Amino acid sequence: MQMFKRSLAAVSLLAPGMAIAHEGAHGGGLTSGFVHVISEPDHLAIVCLGAALIGCASWAVRGLGRKRALSRQASSRARD
C-alpha cells in the first residue's frame, strides 16, 4: 500500500505538465469549457470513460452494501 501511495504521489507531481493537452489560449468561462469538451471527440471519450468507471464503481459498492445487509439480516434471523 505504501508503494501505491508513493507511485500516486509521483504521478500527481507529473500531472500538471500532462494536463496541458494542447497549446493556445484557454480563456473563457464555464460555458466555453463545456462546449470545448463536448465538441472534441477525444475529450468527450475521456469524459464518457470517467462516467462509466464511476458508474461501475458505484454499482459495485452498492451491490457489496446490499450483500452485507442481507448477510446481517440472515445472521440476526438465525440468532432469533
Side-chain angles (χ1 to χ4, degrees), residues 5-78:
K5 289 180 182 178
R6 287 183 182 170
S7 299
L8 187 61
V11 168
S12 66
L13 289 174
L14 297 173
M18 291 187 288
I20 301 172
H22 44 82
E23 297 178 4
H26 290 93
L30 180 64
T31 306
S32 66
F34 182 72
V35 169
H36 175 77
V37 168
I38 63 171
S39 65
E40 297 288 330
D42 56 338
H43 291 41
L44 187 59
I46 294 297
V47 170
C48 291
L49 177 66
L53 288 174
I54 290 170
C56 288
S58 174
W59 178 73
V61 168
R62 249 189 276 155
L64 184 61
R66 287 183 186 144
K67 284 183 182 178
R68 287 182 181 168
L70 290 174
S71 174
R72 286 183 197 140
Q73 287 176 352
S75 65
S76 68
R77 288 180 187 163

